[in-house]
Amino acid sequence: MALSCLTQALRSLTLSQPALLSSQTVAQLKPGTLGPAAVGQWRGFLTTASVEQNRTLWKQRDKYTIKPIGMKKTGGRDHTGKVRTRGIGGGHKQKYRWVDFQRLRYEPNKEGHPFEEKVVEVRYDPCRSADIALLAGGNRKRWIIATENMQAGDIIKTSGVIGRMAVSANEGDAYPLGALPVGTLVNNLELQPGRGSECIRAAGTSGVLLRKVNGTAIVQLPSKQQVQVLESCMVTVGRVSNIDHNKRVIGKAGRNRWLGIRPSSGLWKRKGGWAGRKIKPLPPMKSYVNLPLISAS
Amino acid sequence: MFPEATRCLKASAPLFSKNVFLNASAHGGSSSLPLRRSLGVSHCLAAKVAPPKKPREKVEIPGLEVVTYGDRMHYVPGLAKPVYPSWERSYKDPRFYKSPPAQEMALYKDKPCYVFNQRTSVLEGVRQAAWLTKTSVMHGLPPHLVSLSATAENQLPNQDERVQDAIKHARFWDTTEPRPRKEKYSNTLLLNLLHLCATLQPTHPAVGRRILAENYSLAATWTRGEDLFQIRGQNGLLHCSMDPLPRVCEEKEVLETSDQVLESFYPVSPTIDLQQVNVYKEDVNCTGFRGDYPYPHAHTLYFLETPDPNFKLRPEQFRAKMIMFTFGNALARAHKLYGTQPQTLLERPVTVQAVGTNGRIFQFLVFQLNTTDLSGDDGLKNQVWLDEDVELYDFAKVRPLIKRKEVKVPAGLTGYKPETFSKFLALYLHGAV
């Protein structure tokens, strides 16, 4: 379609009266990219046209579902079609299971109350290193990242209440950071309350709740970096499932190809300062809390 | 110059300019040099790529008159896109009918209704079906029912041989292909077994007062607690008769069921996996047939596995579906006989049977509806006798299973179990003996 646009545009330019650019051609051209070319009688034309591709339409679903969704692989290519990330391509076909990262999601009519859910099954997810668990509670079912000792038939609690006393949490339960005792292993950390968990989701990882400081809590991530978040951010207790993930041996090049990892370039490159183990001081603590500015006057 | 050519030049410019950052370079490069070259990377990775453009947000300012290019009949850069009213068809065309949203439909109600249809696969299986129908589940068929087919006069001549022939016909002979498919052979097997049972009609005249019916739509409504439930759909093959089935259980035992407690499965709600609708007709009770149908009483339901691969039911869910539809048939019948007001004890309980199969494994079910007062959890319960996973035969292999040059399972029919057919026959003859 881009080619036909180009040929049409060029054909119209060869007409004796350039002002008679047909409205049809102009209507097909993308208006936004004409820019400074439209000066006086010169009506600019576009040599490319964006074709509506359904490359990302598979992930535009509004309603949550537990049914696995067919996925389109990108091969590391971005929206222009060029390789943006090297080493991605091929691999076994995968279906995406929509994991609900916002653990504290109430059912439509039951806002505000802590609730329990039952683990129906724990299964392998091809899209991530951790295992996923199907939770059923009330009238709905959802997928979550499974923790280490989660089994089918367990009852899991989710609560948004921060009491005065710290809760003795069982593994797999989800509480706000303010409700947990200092020193618990946590995973699926939310950086802002209600946003959904973005940290500590990989297999076998866990963070440590270091201390709680008036309204905020400081968590150490698996990379030993410390992060300060509001104490109402939800977090799950325990280690993420599939703890032996880092001990697995790939064994052969083919297994990497099944995982969708293409080989790296075989060209010999002289090592610069990038190679080797680095021992650096810890980066400063990252704070996701907008504290009011204290101006010393 | 054409814009495309200029873009090409711009793309090649970074290779020659000094201060260029190449974000695709995975090796980082030494930061001391101002010139960073991508090492061993092809040209296309070096070019700057524009980020995907989001379309500009259209702002609506009320009261502001927008100048559009609609009058000029062609696009003019700088003017707004004209918005025309959407065209509505002035006449009614059923091919292009757009239904109104749910809130505007005539039958919309605020209170949702939970519907069980033939594709529902409930999470908790038989326990959930028992809770929804206020039933106490007993494993194993009642013994007096099973002994119906033990007497010689209630058996077929050459019964085992004829049943084995029926199985072989369904599994091996009914096709021109190497092997018939599952939907086909399970259907053929069921019809063959029904035919065998029907050959007893000369000796049992009551068998002649029955007929098979298919593709009938069932509807029944009941309340449980505060929720409204409905069962709708086409369930399978129905064997209906002119006479109702006799009661299976004595009244004494029926009264004892009021002491039993229904199993609860907290935290899962009993309405999980049911279709929630806000647009429904209240109080639909339809047995699937009109009032003057000569065979009004449902005798046995025969369930086969659905051919649709999206709605495959596991054995537990299959049994739950059997219970729900048997209950639906019984309830629709009871509502017809005794009215829609909930009755604590029916003086003549409605009995319906069901058989489900996947071609080899059978599930037998006898349901007795004792009460239509289903709103509370206490009180009299309905009863169901469930015989799960009864095999008719072990293997029916077209080609023998050979492992390490040893024949593990020979070709043909192996492991025939005659008790299963006698149970099938007993359920068939119930009411006709």
Side-chain angles (χ1 to χ4, degrees), chain B residues 207-264:
Chain B
V207 170
R209 293 164 62 81
R210 297 180 193 170
I211 198 171
L212 286 171
E214 217 176 7
N215 286 343
Y216 71 101
S217 299
L218 176 74
T221 325
W222 73 101
T223 46
R224 201 86 171 79
E226 290 160 4
D227 303 317
L228 199 60
F229 292 96
Q230 276 191 9
I231 184 159
R232 311 281 283 262
Q234 299 185 343
N235 23 344
L237 199 61
L238 174 70
H239 203 59
C240 37
S241 85
M242 295 184 184
D243 321 306
L245 272 173
R247 66 190 305 153
V248 178
C249 191
E250 294 308 313
E251 188 150 345
K252 201 161 52 89
E253 289 160 27
V254 166
L255 294 170
E256 277 171 16
T257 60
S258 56
D259 303 326
Q260 289 167 13
V261 178
L262 292 171
E263 272 186 76
S264 86

Side-chain angles (χ1 to χ4, degrees), chain B residues 112-423:
Chain B
C113 174
Y114 299 97
V115 176
F116 188 100
N117 53 41
Q118 66 265 35
R119 304 195 305 196
T120 310
S121 155
V122 280
L123 182 72
E124 291 283 331
V126 173
R127 286 198 304 175
Q128 188 170 354
W131 191 95
L132 287 171
T133 56
K134 202 176 170 187
T135 314
S136 70
V137 182
M138 278 158 277
H139 295 275
L141 290 176
H144 65 265
L145 203 56
V146 178
S147 58
L148 268 182
S149 62
T151 51
E153 61 179 14
N154 290 347
Q155 282 177 1
L156 303 166
N158 298 333
Q159 179 171 309
D160 288 340
E161 204 184 289
R162 288 169 79 181
V163 174
Q164 282 174 318
D165 276 342
I167 302 172
K168 283 177 196 169
H169 170 249
R171 287 301 298 254
F172 306 127
W173 306 331
D174 193 23
T175 175
T176 53
E177 288 160 358
R179 169 199 298 174
R181 276 170 298 125
K182 191 168 193 176
E183 310 87 59
K184 185 155 192 226
Y185 76 65
S186 53
N187 193 28
T188 321
L189 179 64
L190 185 67
L191 294 177
N192 285 352
L193 294 178
L194 280 174
H195 176 79
L196 283 176
C197 298
T199 53
L200 278 176
Q201 192 189 339
T203 46
H204 299 78
V207 170
R209 293 164 62 81
R210 297 180 193 170
I211 198 171
L212 286 171
E214 217 176 7
N215 286 343
Y216 71 101
S217 299
L218 176 74
T221 325
W222 73 101
T223 46
R224 201 86 171 79
E226 290 160 4
D227 303 317
L228 199 60
F229 292 96
Q230 276 191 9
I231 184 159
R232 311 281 283 262
Q234 299 185 343
N235 23 344
L237 199 61
L238 174 70
H239 203 59
C240 37
S241 85
M242 295 184 184
D243 321 306
L245 272 173
R247 66 190 305 153
V248 178
C249 191
E250 294 308 313
E251 188 150 345
K252 201 161 52 89
E253 289 160 27
V254 166
L255 294 170
E256 277 171 16
T257 60
S258 56
D259 303 326
Q260 289 167 13
V261 178
L262 292 171
E263 272 186 76
S264 86
F265 27 88
Y266 177 81
V268 172
S269 150
T271 52
I272 201 171
D273 279 332
L274 295 179
Q275 184 189 9
Q276 198 173 347
V277 287
N278 284 85
V279 178
Y280 56 93
K281 251 192 207 168
E282 281 182 350
D283 286 331
V284 270
N285 282 296
C286 170
T287 49
F289 303 97
R290 281 211 292 243
D292 54 352
Y293 184 58
Y295 306 89
H297 300 268
H299 185 276
T300 319
L301 279 160
Y302 294 100
F303 289 93
L304 289 173
E305 290 197 335
T306 47
D308 198 339
N310 295 329
F311 303 102
K312 271 204 188 120
L313 296 174
R314 286 186 303 249
E316 187 69 17
Q317 275 75 29
F318 186 60
R319 273 170 262 160
K321 176 183 168 184
M322 281 169 64
I323 296 181
M324 293 299 298
F325 276 104
T326 333
F327 167 77
N329 274 294
L331 190 68
R333 189 84 216 119
H335 280 316
K336 271 260 164 56
L337 286 176
Y338 303 107
T340 49
Q341 286 303 311
Q343 313 242 334
T344 320
L345 175 64
L346 304 174
E347 55 270 13
R348 246 193 239 157
V350 180
T351 314
V352 185
Q353 294 168 157
V355 175
T357 175
N358 73 343
R360 185 175 79 91
I361 303 182
F362 282 76
Q363 335 269 352
F364 298 110
L365 191 147
V366 181
F367 187 92
Q368 180 170 309
L369 186 76
N370 300 320
T371 168
T372 49
D373 180 18
L374 304 164
S375 39
D377 275 347
D378 48 353
L380 283 181
K381 317 253 181 325
N382 305 315
Q383 287 161 305
V384 76
W385 290 265
L386 185 57
D387 208 355
E388 312 174 333
D389 288 341
V390 188
E391 294 175 349
L392 184 55
Y393 52 91
D394 279 334
F395 297 99
K397 285 209 162 300
V398 173
R399 303 192 59 186
L401 179 68
I402 300 179
K403 293 263 186 197
R404 296 197 186 177
K405 298 191 186 167
E406 266 182 34
V407 177
K408 298 283 181 194
V409 179
L413 185 64
T414 38
Y416 170 68
K417 295 183 175 61
E419 304 86 35
T420 318
F421 182 72
S422 48
K423 282 184 194 169

Side-chain angles (χ1 to χ4, degrees), chain A residues 10 23 26 31 33 47-48 78-80 82-83 86 116-118 120 136-141 155 267 269 274, chain B residues 2 4 7 26-27 40-41 44-45 49-53 74-75 114 123-124 127 266-269 271-273:
Chain A
L10 287 176
S23 58
V26 186
T33 51
T47 53
T48 57
D78 61 11
H79 65 287
T80 59
K82 296 184 175 170
V83 173
R86 292 186 300 175
E116 290 186 339
E117 283 167 312
K118 182 173 146 182
V120 175
N139 263 336
R140 62 144 185 219
K141 291 189 271 197
I155 309 275
L267 182 65
K269 297 151 190 168
W274 60 271
Chain B
F2 296 141
E4 195 208 12
R7 210 175 291 145
H27 305 289
V41 171
C44 62
L45 279 182
V49 166
K53 281 187 214 167
H74 61 86
Y75 172 74
Y114 299 97
L123 182 72
E124 291 283 331
R127 286 198 304 175
Y266 177 81
V268 172
S269 150
T271 52
I272 201 171
D273 279 332

Side-chain angles (χ1 to χ4, degrees), chain A residues 278-283:
Chain A
K278 304 278 181 358
I279 299 182
K280 299 191 295 187
L282 269 187

Side-chain angles (χ1 to χ4, degrees), chain A residues 256-286:
Chain A
N256 253 341
R257 297 305 299 270
W258 303 340
L259 298 171
I261 302 171
R262 285 181 67 211
S264 44
S265 153
L267 182 65
W268 178 84
K269 297 151 190 168
R270 185 178 307 276
K271 292 188 195 172
W274 60 271
R277 180 166 176 191
K278 304 278 181 358
I279 299 182
K280 299 191 295 187
L282 269 187
M285 185 171 73
K286 173 93 187 173

